[in-house]
Amino acid sequence: MVVLGIESSCDDTSAAVVVDGLLRSNIIASQKVHEEYGGVVPELASRAHQQNIVPVVDAALRHAGVGVSDLSVIAFTRGPGLLGSLLVGTSFAKGLSLALRVPVVDVNHLHGHVLAHFIRKETSDVVPEFPFLCLLVSGGNSQIILVRDYFDMEVIGRTIDDAAGEAFDKCAKVMGLPYPGGPHIDRLAAEGDPDRFNFAKPRIPGLDYSFSGLKTSFLYTLRDETKLNPRFVEENMPDLAASLQRTIIEILMGKLSRAVKETGVKTVVIGGGVSANSGVRQAVADYCAAKGITAFIPPREFTTDNAAMVATAGYFKYLKGEFCPYSATPYARVTI
């Protein structure tokens, strides 16, 4: 069974091929056009997807050693994401499906991040056992998800305002770092003192997150200190990055630890773009080791937006017989 996965939810155009449940190829074309604007420009993103999608799909098929006539099903990201970008992937998938007379399955982007842990390159690759907790952290989402099955997921904690990825990127922007700021914060944090500065932590009941107060505290610190020393940010860049990263990780881990206690699960996985952060990965690994529970930390290539997770999720939907009608339209916002 050959699955072609297509991902176009934001600013990465990606295509992947899964054959009988094993990943054969995963091609990603990133868009550099947004760097000078300090963030993703939706109209530019959708135009770049239009330019990239045909060569990316062609490359994925060639690297997998299959042709379009071999496809059993086409899986595509239907949402959430930027509508213009999603429309490119959705339209391409439907058009190719009609031309080849093969079915299509739609994939929830967040669902794909959770199921990224089931991407296998070899039959011997180990995957999580149900049930497990997933800490899903990205630029637009911070969620704790109780996963009972491939299609039985319950969000038990979520951000009530900004996401962890937004906190990284927006704080990096006021520090004068290039977009996306998260990787630059991660790099600088390795050189700094994480205890140099203290920033505000939210007191939100239950398992929900909040990062808006942290951003405000960070901004006020920079404003007040820069008044006294105009070169404050430049001179303290590593310490600021390390302290910011430590605070975000403490917020994330505090709620995750509580969720483990409340659910009693024995397996924790992480997913989403922020799961590529070195500090987050180490914190989850250390916590699980201390508690005697199993941790699944994905390869960095599967943390950001990629079609391998879409093709994998589509593989399981195909097995369940959940196909998508051609009348289906993309959606910008949705939860698991």
Side-chain angles (χ1 to χ4, degrees):
M1 192 181 79
V2 183
V3 183
L4 170 65
I6 296 172
E7 157 63 26
S8 67
S9 63
C10 190
D11 61 338
D12 287 327
T13 312
S14 182
V17 174
V18 165
V19 179
D20 294 331
L22 300 181
L23 182 66
R24 289 281 189 86
S25 67
N26 184 43
I27 306 298
I28 302 174
S30 299
Q31 301 175 3
K32 301 294 185 182
V33 67
H34 308 285
E35 291 180 357
E36 62 180 297
Y37 299 99
V40 177
V41 181
E43 177 62 23
L44 296 180
S46 58
R47 292 185 182 188
H49 282 303
Q50 288 180 312
Q51 295 174 337
N52 293 336
I53 193 163
V54 171
V56 165
V57 169
D58 178 65
L61 294 172
R62 285 189 290 104
H63 278 72
V66 300
V68 290
S69 60
D70 299 314
L71 297 181
S72 307
V73 62
I74 301 168
F76 68 95
T77 301
R78 186 179 171 191
L82 302 175
L83 276 179
S85 295
L86 290 166
L87 189 60
V88 175
T90 300
S91 300
F92 183 88
K94 289 179 182 179
L96 188 59
S97 167
L98 285 167
L100 300 176
R101 297 185 178 182
V102 297
V104 286
V105 293
D106 59 316
V107 173
N108 182 315
H109 181 74
L110 305 182
H111 194 169
H113 275 303
V114 176
L115 295 183
H117 291 278
F118 293 89
I119 298 172
R120 296 187 305 159
K121 295 182 178 180
E122 305 290 341
T123 54
S124 57
D125 290 346
V126 179
V127 297
E129 293 184 2
F130 300 111
F132 60 82
L133 281 178
C134 177
L135 175 62
L136 178 57
V137 278
S138 65
N141 298 277
S142 293
Q143 299 179 343
I144 300 176
I145 306 163
L146 177 58
V147 184
R148 301 184 183 92
D149 191 71
Y150 300 114
F151 304 100
D152 184 1
M153 304 183 189
E154 178 186 358
V155 178
I156 59 176
R158 59 167 56 85
T159 181
I160 62 174
D161 43 54
D162 298 322
E166 288 178 285
F168 275 122
D169 287 341
K170 292 180 180 178
C171 289
K173 186 174 182 178
V174 299
M175 291 169 65
L177 296 173
Y179 174 84
H184 295 285
I185 294 291
D186 192 16
R187 172 180 54 81
L188 288 167
E191 307 169 7
D193 178 3
D195 299 317
R196 172 76 184 284
F197 301 100
N198 290 314
F199 303 115
K201 297 179 185 176
R203 296 183 178 179
I204 307 299
L207 299 175
D208 288 340
Y209 287 112
S210 171
F211 291 95
S212 62
L214 167 62
K215 290 196 314 180
T216 301
S217 173
F218 186 86
L219 179 62
Y220 282 172
T221 297
L222 265 60
R223 183 198 63 181
D224 295 342
E225 294 292 342
T226 302
K227 287 180 181 179
L228 301 175
N229 176 13
R231 293 175 56 84
F232 169 77
V233 174
E234 181 181 348
E235 294 174 355
N236 296 278
M237 193 83 75
D239 291 345
L240 285 167
S243 298
L244 172 67
Q245 181 162 291
R246 170 186 59 81
T247 306
I248 292 177
I249 290 171
E250 288 177 351
I251 295 172
L252 291 172
M253 295 306 299
K255 294 302 177 85
L256 179 62
S257 175
R258 181 171 178 175
V260 169
K261 293 178 182 178
E262 292 184 3
T263 60
V265 299
K266 299 300 182 182
T267 302
V268 169
V269 312
I270 57 175
V274 178
S275 66
N277 179 276
S278 300
V280 172
R281 297 166 74 88
Q282 191 62 53
V284 171
D286 291 345
Y287 168 78
C288 290
K291 296 297 181 180
I293 59 181
T294 304
F296 280 86
I297 300 173
R300 282 187 168 85
E301 63 180 310
F302 300 138
T303 57
T304 54
D305 295 345
N306 66 89
M309 66 183 191
V310 177
T312 299
Y315 170 76
F316 292 116
K317 291 197 78 170
Y318 179 89
L319 294 179
K320 194 177 179 182
E322 291 190 359
F323 303 112
C324 178
Y326 290 121
S327 58
T329 57
Y331 47 78
R333 295 183 179 275
V334 74
T335 57
I336 285 293

